[in-house]
Amino acid sequence: MEQFVENNETEQLDQNDLSDTAEAEPGDLDSGNTDDSMESLMDMYEESFKRFAEGEVVTGKIISVDKDYVLVDIGYKSEGQIRINEFRDEDGQIRAEVGDTVEVMVEWWDEDEEVVVLSKEKAAKIKVWDEIKKAYDEDGIVEGVILNRVKGGFSVDIGVQAFLPGSQADLRPIKNLDEMVGQTLTFKILKYNRKRSNIVLSRRMILEHEREAARTATLEAIEEGKVVTGVVKNITEYGVFVDLGGVDGLLHITDISWGRVKHPSELFSVGDDIKVKILSLDLEKERVSLGMKQLTEDPWTTASEKYPVDSRITGKVVSLTDYGAFIELEEGIEGLIHVSEMSWTRKIRHPSKVVSVGEEVDAIVLDIKPDNRRISLGMKQVAPNPWDVISEKYPVGTTIEGKIKNITDFGLFIGIDEGIDGLVHISDISWTKRVKHPGDIYKKGDLVQAVVLDIEKENERFSLGIKQMQPDPWQTVAERYEVGKEITGTVTNITDFGVFVELEEGIEGLVHVSEISKEKIKNPSEKFNIDDVLTAKVMNINSEERRIGLSIKRLEEDDQTILSDYINKMGPATSTFGEILRENLQEKLNEDDDE
């Protein structure tokens, strides 16, 4: 160690002291006083030679403050000197007053200025390192401020700069590391190296100790049925893990609410304080089941009183399925509107065609079974059933007018009232035309008139007829075509069993193959073609079966009979001319027979 007192100074001091001794009065050198004086002088002498080792921390008192330095009396023959900047605070203000006591470190002896150079900052660091050593040795804690993020963790100010690994910052991984910056926290010293100024901290050790202490206290305090407060620790699709104080409990999604919960994250966030009830407890396995809905009464216990059958309710659509819509009446109570109960008149293929999730709807309670937690609702029952009044509004025989809404193979659907369509069957389109497909005559959107034929409320059927707008021509066909009357018509169809002949629009007669000729005809197509005009005799009429029987053969037989009667009435010939005429007529008849 260097010494702050030089030899020449020692010699000078020795001479001064000796001269002082020489000037003493003779009476002062008696035996008693001489011993005391010598002891006092020796103390002064030794004090003047008091030495301070470099790096030693001492306590001194501020004796003056100027613009550059602060002078501190540390009990040495010369004052100590500290640069004024060491007393500036964060705002640049000087925090030094004459008379203040400060701890300083002896840096070195300034020979030129004959002052001891001191440092307040270095003394503070030395003190910090002493506290760090003490905290490490005694398993204590230190306080510090997290300055900023660095690679692998954080930089922390605990008087000197230290390192906090990210894994030691908390019990769980931290999502937002920036939130830690600026926080003042307590830490354990994991390890330190003073020479390298290396310090590693841990906050996790403190938290683990606190958690273990809390866990012990929690396990002693909790019991089934007890209501406790916890902190949401983790959220999954099946539930929420809650920290009850060192012990984690599971709040299952089915125990969160009496109502529907799609995902717990809709209701909770990590860090939320929540109140729960302990449903079951296994201390050996440390498993705790929690419930939140159990803090309130089950709404189904009073559902029958609140929602009696036939009562009208308003609820929100919370879910759609292929077979219906679930309606939330209140938290924990849902009812089902089946697709069959959504409309009196429309056939609903999917509930989404009528309602959407989140929509509020009115419905009627059709049935309630609290034991099964089921309520059946009807939406169509809110309005009167149009089929109850349709027969009164449109009695059978009424003529209606409407647009064609749909065309099928079997008929036409005509709009009557909102949601009610009437069907014109293909057989009721025309009295006389043979309709292969309704689309050949009509198109969607056409405005047509029809007659109400029948209304079946039970089966929700409304039958209409277009042909009934006009009288059935077959009802008077016997008046227009008497049996035995000769008619002329056009061939419309040729079959193996005969020829169809149109007598008028929509009225056809049949010449059976046996009535075509006296001769046997194998195939009528050998004798006739479509659109041929022929003459035949009306043989029979059946208006109910809508049939007219015709005969060509009978017509020819009648012609021959008439001719034969005529020839027979002429009698024997009186001249050669008469014989000739008779022969010619006979030849004519023979030719007709051949044809």
Side-chain angles (χ1 to χ4, degrees):
M1 286 289 191
E2 294 184 1
Q3 299 177 347
F4 293 124
V5 181
E6 300 291 341
N7 291 332
N8 59 349
E9 292 179 345
T10 304
E11 294 174 357
Q12 184 177 0
L13 183 59
D14 291 343
Q15 294 175 357
N16 290 337
D17 290 339
L18 291 173
S19 63
D20 290 341
T21 303
E23 293 176 357
E25 293 295 331
D28 295 334
L29 298 176
D30 57 23
S31 61
N33 293 335
T34 301
D35 292 339
D36 293 339
S37 297
M38 287 302 294
E39 184 177 353
S40 176
L41 288 173
M42 290 303 295
D43 289 341
M44 293 174 59
Y45 180 77
E46 290 178 4
E47 180 67 22
S48 67
F49 277 87
K50 187 175 182 181
R51 301 169 181 176
F52 294 100
E54 287 183 4
E56 185 177 353
V57 177
V58 297
T59 301
K61 184 178 293 185
I62 297 176
I63 58 176
S64 70
V65 179
D66 60 30
K67 65 177 183 177
D68 295 320
Y69 297 98
V70 173
L71 296 183
V72 179
D73 180 8
I74 60 172
Y76 187 58
K77 69 175 185 176
S78 297
E79 294 81 5
Q81 181 177 280
I82 305 174
R83 291 186 178 277
I84 192 69
N85 288 336
E86 292 195 26
F87 289 88
R88 292 187 187 276
D89 60 15
E90 295 177 354
D91 299 327
Q93 299 295 320
I94 302 298
R95 299 297 181 185
E97 298 288 343
V98 174
D100 288 350
T101 299
V102 294
E103 287 186 334
V104 295
M105 188 194 82
V106 177
E107 287 198 271
W108 52 284
W109 168 255
D110 189 342
E111 295 182 1
D112 296 334
E113 300 294 334
E114 294 187 351
V115 295
V116 179
V117 179
L118 307 174
S119 173
K120 174 176 169 289
E121 292 178 350
K122 291 182 179 180
K125 287 185 177 180
I126 290 175
K127 187 176 182 180
V128 169
W129 279 105
D130 290 342
E131 292 176 352
I132 289 171
K133 181 179 184 303
K134 182 180 180 181
Y136 180 80
D137 293 340
E138 299 178 2
D139 196 26
I141 60 173
V142 295
E143 187 176 80
V145 180
I146 297 180
L147 299 177
N148 55 272
R149 290 176 55 187
V150 295
K151 184 178 180 180
F154 301 91
S155 176
V156 184
D157 181 8
I158 59 172
V160 293
Q161 193 163 310
F163 174 65
L164 173 65
S167 61
Q168 296 294 322
D170 206 329
L171 292 172
R172 297 177 298 274
I174 301 171
K175 292 183 178 180
N176 188 354
L177 298 177
D178 292 331
E179 291 181 353
M180 297 286 292
V181 176
Q183 293 189 36
T184 300
L185 304 168
T186 56
F187 307 92
K188 287 276 189 180
I189 307 293
L190 283 182
K191 60 181 180 179
Y192 76 98
N193 188 315
R194 185 167 183 172
K195 291 183 179 180
R196 296 182 179 180
S197 296
N198 183 22
I199 306 169
V200 180
L201 305 176
S202 173
R203 179 170 173 261
R204 179 171 183 165
M205 292 177 64
I206 296 177
L207 297 177
E208 286 177 345
H209 179 75
E210 293 175 350
R211 182 177 64 178
E212 185 61 26
R215 172 183 166 277
T216 302
T218 299
L219 289 174
E220 293 176 354
I222 61 176
E223 58 185 13
E224 290 186 9
K226 188 174 182 178
V227 177
V228 296
T229 300
V231 179
V232 175
K233 186 176 180 180
N234 191 24
I235 299 174
T236 68
E237 61 182 6
Y238 57 84
V240 177
F241 287 94
V242 182
D243 185 358
L244 304 177
V247 177
D248 291 345
L250 173 61
L251 174 61
H252 197 270
I253 188 171
T254 58
D255 290 310
I256 291 176
S257 171
W258 292 112
R260 183 187 296 262
V261 179
K262 292 183 178 179
H263 197 282
S265 60
E266 296 178 348
L267 302 175
F268 305 104
S269 298
V270 173
D272 286 351
D273 291 329
I274 61 173
K275 186 178 290 185
V276 291
K277 186 175 184 178
I278 297 175
L279 303 182
S280 64
L281 176 64
D282 187 337
L283 292 177
E284 292 183 1
K285 296 182 179 179
E286 293 188 12
R287 291 181 180 177
V288 184
S289 296
L290 307 174
M292 179 175 281
K293 72 180 184 182
Q294 288 79 3
L295 297 174
T296 59
E297 184 182 13
D298 185 353
W300 282 97
T301 56
T302 57
S304 295
E305 301 172 5
K306 296 177 68 175
Y307 308 106
V309 174
D310 293 333
S311 62
R312 180 167 178 161
I313 61 91
T314 299
K316 183 173 70 174
V317 179
V318 292
S319 179
L320 298 179
T321 67
D322 292 339
Y323 54 85
F326 285 93
I327 312 299
E328 184 181 58
L329 282 62
E330 63 176 85
E331 184 177 345
I333 294 185
E334 294 180 7
L336 171 66
I337 301 178
H338 195 270
V339 286
S340 62
E341 303 296 343
M342 288 187 169
S343 175
W344 289 114
T345 55
R346 294 169 56 192
K347 185 176 181 180
I348 309 301
R349 295 185 177 180
H350 195 276
S352 59
K353 302 296 182 181
V354 181
V355 296
S356 57
V357 174
E359 179 183 354
E360 286 198 350
V361 296
D362 293 330
I364 301 296
V365 177
L366 304 180
D367 187 30
I368 181 169
K369 295 179 180 178
D371 294 340
N372 298 327
R373 308 176 83 85
R374 292 180 180 177
I375 295 181
S376 297
L377 303 173
M379 195 163 68
K380 68 184 182 182
Q381 288 80 2
V382 173
N385 185 354
W387 288 98
D388 291 339
V389 295
I390 198 72
S391 58
E392 298 176 4
K393 190 174 181 181
Y394 302 104
V396 173
T398 304
T399 299
I400 62 96
E401 186 176 66
K403 289 185 178 181
I404 297 175
K405 297 180 67 176
N406 195 19
I407 300 176
T408 67
D409 294 340
F410 56 85
L412 309 170
F413 284 95
I414 300 175
I416 307 300
D417 274 352
E418 183 65 31
I420 294 182
D421 296 338
L423 171 64
V424 179
H425 193 268
I426 190 171
S427 62
D428 290 311
I429 291 178
S430 175
W431 289 113
T432 57
K433 289 182 180 180
R434 187 178 290 109
V435 181
K436 293 182 178 179
H437 193 283
D440 296 338
I441 305 174
Y442 300 98
K443 64 180 183 295
K444 192 174 180 179
D446 284 352
L447 188 66
V448 297
Q449 288 186 331
V451 174
V452 177
L453 303 180
D454 188 27
I455 297 176
E456 297 180 40
K457 174 185 171 183
E458 295 78 10
N459 298 321
E460 297 185 355
R461 292 179 181 175
F462 197 111
S463 299
L464 300 172
I466 294 177
K467 71 181 184 181
Q468 287 80 2
M469 294 292 297
Q470 303 294 332
D472 183 358
W474 283 95
Q475 292 178 351
T476 58
V477 73
E479 300 175 3
R480 299 194 302 277
Y481 304 101
E482 298 176 0
V483 175
K485 183 177 181 180
E486 182 180 321
I487 58 90
T488 299
T490 304
V491 175
T492 58
N493 192 20
I494 301 173
T495 68
D496 293 340
F497 57 85
V499 178
F500 286 93
V501 181
E502 185 180 51
L503 308 182
E504 61 182 68
E505 185 178 1
I507 303 294
E508 291 181 339
L510 172 63
V511 181
H512 193 269
V513 65
S514 62
E515 296 295 330
I516 293 177
S517 177
K518 290 180 179 180
E519 297 179 356
K520 187 175 181 180
I521 303 297
K522 292 183 178 180
N523 192 338
S525 61
E526 297 175 356
K527 193 171 181 64
F528 301 101
N529 294 311
I530 300 296
D531 294 331
D532 284 353
V533 177
L534 57 78
T535 303
K537 183 178 182 180
V538 177
M539 299 301 298
N540 58 73
I541 297 175
N542 189 331
S543 298
E544 293 181 0
E545 296 182 3
R546 313 175 87 78
R547 293 177 181 177
I548 298 178
L550 304 175
S551 176
I552 299 174
K553 181 177 70 173
R554 301 291 178 89
L555 183 62
E556 294 176 348
E557 289 177 351
D558 290 345
D559 290 342
Q560 290 179 356
T561 302
I562 293 170
L563 184 57
S564 297
D565 290 344
Y566 174 75
I567 293 173
N568 292 331
K569 288 179 181 179
M570 290 179 64
T574 57
S575 63
T576 305
F577 176 76
E579 292 176 356
I580 294 172
L581 179 61
R582 192 179 327 26
E583 291 175 356
N584 289 337
L585 286 173
Q586 189 62 46
E587 290 177 359
K588 177 64 176 174
L589 290 174
N590 292 336
E591 291 176 0
D592 291 339
D593 289 341
D594 292 339
E595 292 178 359

